[in-house]
Amino acid sequence: MPRTRVYEAVTERLEILDVEGRVDQALMPALDAEALRGLYRDMVLMRNFDDKALKLQRQGRMGTWPPIKGQEAVQAGVARAMGEHDWLIPAFREHGVMALRGVPLHLIYAYWAGDERGSCYPEGVRCFPVAVPVGSQWQHGAGVGLSLKLSGEDAVAVTFGGDGSTSEGDFHEALNCAAVFGVKAVFVIQNNQWAISVPLHQQTATATLAQKAHAYGMPGIQVDGNDVLAVYVATREAIQRARRGDGPTLIEAVTYRLGDHTTADDASRYRPEGEVEAWEGRDPIQRLRRHLEGAGLWDESQEAVLQEEAHAWVESQVKAFEEMAPQEPEAIFSSMYAELPPHLVEQMNELLAEVRS
Amino acid sequence: MPRTRVYEAVTERLEILDVEGRVDQALMPALDAEALRGLYRDMVLMRNFDDKALKLQRQGRMGTWPPIKGQEAVQAGVARAMGEHDWLIPAFREHGVMALRGVPLHLIYAYWAGDERGSCYPEGVRCFPVAVPVGSQWQHGAGVGLSLKLSGEDAVAVTFGGDGSTSEGDFHEALNCAAVFGVKAVFVIQNNQWAISVPLHQQTATATLAQKAHAYGMPGIQVDGNDVLAVYVATREAIQRARRGDGPTLIEAVTYRLGDHTTADDASRYRPEGEVEAWEGRDPIQRLRRHLEGAGLWDESQEAVLQEEAHAWVESQVKAFEEMAPQEPEAIFSSMYAELPPHLVEQMNELLAEVRS
Amino acid sequence: MSARAAGGRALHAVPESTTDKLTIAQAVRDAMAGEMERDERVLVLGEDVGVDGGVFRATEGLIERFGPQRVIDTPLAESSIIGMSIGLAATGFRPIAEIQFMGFVYPAVNQLFAHAARLRNRTRGNLSVPMVVRMPYGGGIHPPEHHSESYEAMFLNTPGIKVVVPSNPYDAKGLLTAAIRDPDPVLFMEPKRIYRAFREPVPRDGYTVPIGKAAIAREGEDVSLIAWGAMVRVCLDAAEVLTRSDVAAEVVDLRSLNPLDRETVLASVAKTGRAVVVHEAPRTAGFGAEIAAQIGEHALLQLEAPVRRVAGFDTVFPLARSEQYYLPSRERVIDAVQRVLSY
Amino acid sequence: MSARAAGGRALHAVPESTTDKLTIAQAVRDAMAGEMERDERVLVLGEDVGVDGGVFRATEGLIERFGPQRVIDTPLAESSIIGMSIGLAATGFRPIAEIQFMGFVYPAVNQLFAHAARLRNRTRGNLSVPMVVRMPYGGGIHPPEHHSESYEAMFLNTPGIKVVVPSNPYDAKGLLTAAIRDPDPVLFMEPKRIYRAFREPVPRDGYTVPIGKAAIAREGEDVSLIAWGAMVRVCLDAAEVLTRSDVAAEVVDLRSLNPLDRETVLASVAKTGRAVVVHEAPRTAGFGAEIAAQIGEHALLQLEAPVRRVAGFDTVFPLARSEQYYLPSRERVIDAVQRVLSY
Ligand SMILES: Cc1ncc(C[n+]2csc(CCOP(=O)(O)OP(=O)(O)O)c2C)c(N)n1
Ligand SMILES: Cc1ncc(C[n+]2csc(CCOP(=O)(O)OP(=O)(O)O)c2C)c(N)n1
Ligand SMILES: [Mg+2]
Ligand SMILES: [Mg+2]
C-alpha cells in the first residue's frame, strides 16, 4: 500500500433562502409565521440601532463604533438558534446577537461610548464582554465549552469571530483544544470578506474558512450568512450536536460588511468599485422581507408599525444611555480586585483629592 | 443549490520501504547504490552520536540531551533531499539533520552541554540555531521562505517541528502566512507520537497531522517516517515545488521516539506497555539494512568498517568538544548587541572585577 | 535569635503532631490536593500535569486521586491553557493552570494581561477570574535555554494579577492555598532551584499565609536584605556569613510582590538605614527598581547609603556553563552589603 | 532661551531650504521612504500598511512607490509579523514591522523576547536581527479598549531590544532612520496622541539622531522633569506654567530608553537636586522606577527631595470617558514639582 488515502472529507455549504426570497422547501426549518416575522423584526431592530449609533457618533455622542450593517442575518439566525442557558462569547461586531441575548441596548451604547458599565450585564444574561484583541475570544469559548462539559450543565458556548481572526494563533489553539476535549461549543465565523483593509484572499489561501475544521477533526460547514434561515438551521444543528455531547462545530457564515470597519475607518480607500453595491443586492433583510411578502405574511402597514416600534425602542435606549450619570472617578479603581489593596487605596485617594480640589 | 460541496479534502500517505526491507519499485527513487549506502551510513552515524551523548550525560559530561533514536530516517531523508543552498530551521530534536547539513557535531555537543558557541556555525552552514520554545520556529521558516521568494534566490527553507508543536498558535500562523505569500518553504512534522507525556490523541482530534494542511490551502502529505526512501521522495517533491515557486508543502513523517523525551525524563512513567518494543520492530536503520543486504549492497564486513568509522568520528568530535577552552566570563555580554552599550560595559567590568578578585 | 523565629511562620505555629516534613515541591502538591478535596470546583490543568505528574512532580498522584476530569493534560498550547482557564473560571470553576517553565509563559501573556487581569474591571465586577497560574521560575539548575528565566517584572507593571513567591515549604503551602481561595487571578512563582533543597514541617491541614504580607526571615539592625523566592536563601546565607564581621543583616522575604507589603519594607529600612535588594531577573527595570524607588520616595532621610541592587545582568540568561557568572551569589550580596556599610 | 534651543536638534541644525514642515506621522513615513529608497533590503510589513496606508496613515503612499513586494499587508497575526521578520532579517532583509497598536503586541512577545532579542547572543554573533518594530502607543485619543496602552517596561527588563521614543518630528525621522540602520532589533514607539499635533521643520535628506542620547528639551535650574514621547510635551507645558511662579524646570527628553543616557539624567539632577519622572504606564514597576532607582543610586547626596513619579495608576487604562482621570496631566506634573520643591 504505497500511496494511500488516509483522510477524506468534504466541506458543505448550506443555503435555504435565496436573494429573491425563495426558499428550499426540503431544507426549510419548521418555523411558524410568528417566528419568521420575529427573525425579520430582529434584523430590522439591528439595522435601526446600528444606524442610530453611526448618527450619534457623527454628533459626538458616541465613541468609535463598528457597524454591523449587512451582517444582521448571521446574528439573528445564531441568536434565535440558541437555548436559554447557552453562553455567548462575542468578538466586537456582535451587537445584534448580544442585544437578542438580553444585553440591554443602552449598555451596548454605553460601552462603545467609553463607559465600562456597558459591560456589566444584568443578572442571568450569559454573555462575555466584547473582546477587542482579535481572536482572543475563541479561547474563552473553548474554556466555557469545557466548563459546561465538566459541570454537565445543559448549555452550550457559542463564540463569534471575524474572518481576520482566523489567522491568529488563538483561533487554532482554541479549536484544537475544543475538539480534543469534545467541549460543548459552537464556533461561528462572521466572514464579512474584510479585516479592515485586508481582503479574504490575503488572509488565507484556502477556498473556504469552513474547511479549516479539517485541521481539528471537527465538523465544519459554510452557510450563506445573508440567509437567516440557513444560519439558523446550521447553528441549531451544531448546538444540538454539542448539547448531545458530540463535540464542537465550526460554522462559516459568508456575509459582507456593508459599512466601514469602524467610524474611524474609510473603506472607500481600499474596496474595489462596485463591491458594496453588489452586496447591497444581497441584503439579508430585504431577502427575508421578500419571502414574507411573497407568503402573505408581511405588508406595508406591518412594516410601518415595525419601523415605528424600532425607532421608539432605539430612542428610549439612547435616552437610557444618555441619562446614565457619569462614572465616579473612583470607578477606575474599584473593580480592579475583589478587595482594594493598600496601594490602590492610596492612589484612589490621590485622585480624589485632585478631583475635589 | 441548497447543500453543496465547496471543498473536498484528501490526504495521502506515502510508503516505499517496508519493515522487511522490500521496496515498492514503482515509487522507488532513482538512487544508486552509493546513495543508498549513504543514507544507511547517515543513520548509523546518528545512532552512534546519539548513544554517545546519552553516555556523556550519564557521566556528567553533557547537559540535558533530547535523543533522536528512532527518528533517523526522517532526518537523513530530509537532509539528503535538500539542496546545497537550502536553509534548515530546526526545532530541538534535529541533531541528525543538522549534522548532515554541516553543523559540526562537536558544536552540537557543546550547545547541549551549555555552551553558546555551539550555535555559532561555520561560514556557509545555512542553519538556524535550536529553537527551544515549542512551535516558535515555524514562523522563522515562513519568514526565511518569504525572504528566499523576495530575493529570488534558488533556495528553499526547510523547517522542522514535533507533533506537539502543531498545537501551538505559531504553527497555524506560520503555515497560513506561508501559503498566503506562496513562500519557498517545506514544513516537516516529526510525529514521534509523544510530546513529553502527552500522546498524539490528546494533542489533536484529527486522524492525521498532514490533513492540517487543508486549513491553509497547501498540499499536505503523510509519510512513513521510518522509511527513509518515502521521506526522501516526499521531501524532494516538496522542495522542487517550492523551488519552482509553487508554494509550500506540509509533510507529516510518522515515526517514534524510542528514547526518553530528554535525559531529564523517564518515559516509562507514561508509556503503555509494549509500545516501545513494537516500534523497535520498525526500526528505520534495520529496515534499510535489510534492503541493502537483500540487494547485495551490504555485508557484515562493510558494517564492521562503518561501525568503526562511526566510533572514530564520534570520539574525535567528543574530543574536539571537550578540548574547547571554557568561554570567558565576558562572553555573556559580548554578543548582546553589535556594539556594547555603556551599561553593559559597566556590568561586564563589575563581573570581571569579581571573577579576578 | 534563630534565622526563622521572627519570620511569618511564628505567627502560624502549629502543634508538631499534625505536621509532615515536606519539600517545597511537596508542599505545593499538598496545597493543591487539600484544596481539591475541599472544593470540587478546583481543577488542575497544563502540560504533563496528569499521568506524568508534572515535569517537577508537583502534581504527582493528583490524577490518580481526582481523575482526568479534574487533572487535565492539555495540548501543547500555553495560550489555550490560560484562555480556557479564563472561560472555566468565569463560569464557576477554580482552575490551577500550570505553565511548565516561566520561560514559556510568553505565548500566554495576551490571555493573562489582556483578559485574566482585566475581566473583573472590564465588567465592573460582573465576571471574574478566580484562577491560579503556577510556574517554576529562576536559575540554578543548569537546564537548556529558556528554562531559567524570571519574568516577574512584566507582571508587576500589569495591574490585575497578584504575584506571590514562596521561599520555603510552609509559605509554599499557605500562599498557594490562599491563592486558590483568592477571588482574583494569582501568579504563583515556584523557585525551582529549591524545590527539593530542604524539608520543613508543614501542617497537614489547610491554612493560608495571607497574600500581601512580607515576612522578616531574619532580624538584624545593620542592613536590610530584601528578596523573594530562591534569593531569600542566598540572603540568609549571606547574613550568616556577615555575622563573622559583626554585621547583623535583616532579611525581608517579600513573599507577595503584588500587593507589595511596603510597610514591612519601610519599617526594616527605618531600623537599618541601609538596603540591598536581590533578584535574579535582569537589573534594569527589574522589580528591584521599584523597591529602590519606593524606599527612596518614603525613606530618603533615613537612608545612610544608596539602595543597592544585586541582580541578574542585562543579558540573556546564559546557558548552563556560564550560569555561575550570571546568578546573584552569596558573595555578591556580601559585597553589596559591605559597600552600603562603607558608604 | 527658547524651549528647544538647548535640545538635541540644535546639534543637527540644517539650512531652512532643505526642510519640510512635517508632523510626527509624516516624519515617520519620510524616514521609511528615505531608507527604502537608499537600501533595497528595507521592507515594511504589518496589518493594513499597504493599500490602506496604515490606520494612522504612517505608511501612506509607500505601496504605490515601492510596490507590494516591499510593502506587505500581512494576515492578522502579530506573532507572524515578528516571527517572519526574524526570518527575513536573519537572511539579509531589513524589515520594518508595524504592530497596529502597542495594546496588540502581546501575541508577538514570544517572538520578540525569546527570539528577536536573543538571536545574536544565542549564535554568538553568527545571525542577527536588524529589524525595527514600530508601534503607536499611549493614551489621549479616546479610542476603544486596548488602544491606549504603554508597555515599554517589559521591553526594558528584557535585554536585547533597543527602545526609542521620539517626542517631535525631527527626532521621529532621525531616530527611526537610526533604528532602520541599526544592526540590532529596535522597538520604535510612536506617541499616537501627538502624531499630528504640530509640525516642525524636518530635513528632506536622511539623517540620524543617535540611539542612546537624551536631549535637554528645556533648560532649568530648579527641578528636572524626566520624560519621553507624548509626556515630554506635558512636561514642557508644565515648565512653561511654572515660570509664572519663578520655577525654572529642566525637561529631559530621554528619546532612548534602552540604552538609557544616564549621564544626561544625572547631570541634570546634579544641577537641580530635584527630579520628577513622568510616564503614562502604570506606576508600579514602570520605567520611572528604574530612573528613580538610578538617581537614588548615583546621586543620593545631591538630592534635595525624593524623586517623585507622575504616572498612570495601577489600574487598567480606562475607557474613553474616564481617560482624563488616568493620564498624567500638566496639573499633576506641576503638583509634583511643587511637592519636591517644598520638601
Ligand atoms: C490582536 C489584534 N490585532 C489588531 C487589532 C486591530 N484590529 C481591530 S479589528 C481588526 C480587523 C478584524 O477583522 P475580522 O476578524 O475580519 O473582523 P471584522 O472587523 O471584519 O468584524 C484589526 C486588525 C486588534 N483589535 N487586535
Ligand atoms: C512553548 C513551550 N512550552 C513548553 C515547552 C516544554 N517542552 C519542551 S519539549 C516539549 C514537548 C514537545 O513535543 P513535540 O513537539 O512533539 O516534540 P518532541 O519532543 O516529541 O520532539 C515541551 C512541552 C517548551 N519548550 N516550549
Ligand atoms: Mg472581517
Ligand atoms: Mg513529539
Side-chain angles (χ1 to χ4, degrees), chain A residues 79 82-88 96-103 125:
Chain A
M82 288 173 70
E84 190 185 339
H85 300 295
D86 294 341
W87 273 91
L88 173 65
V97 59
M98 288 168 74
L100 292 182
R101 295 296 301 164
V103 178
V125 174

Side-chain angles (χ1 to χ4, degrees), chain B residues 66-67 71 91-94 131-138 161-168 189-198 200 203 257 260-262, chain C residues 47-48 55 76-78 81 99-101 103-107 145-147, chain D residues 110:
Chain B
Q71 304 183 210
F92 51 84
R93 201 185 298 282
E94 279 78 30
V132 169
V134 170
S136 56
Q137 75 285 358
W138 297 116
D163 45 302
S165 81
T166 66
S167 296
E168 290 280 2
I189 302 169
Q190 293 206 66
N191 174 4
N192 65 6
Q193 314 299 323
W194 292 91
I196 310 185
S197 73
V198 178
L200 189 63
Q203 202 64 250
R257 190 192 83 209
D260 292 327
H261 170 68
T262 64
Chain C
E47 295 158 10
D48 308 294
V55 295
L76 215 175
E78 288 76 14
I81 293 171
I99 298 292
Q100 205 160 70
F101 289 83
F104 304 128
V105 73
Y106 288 144
E145 264 183 291
H146 302 281
H147 289 71
Chain D
N110 194 38

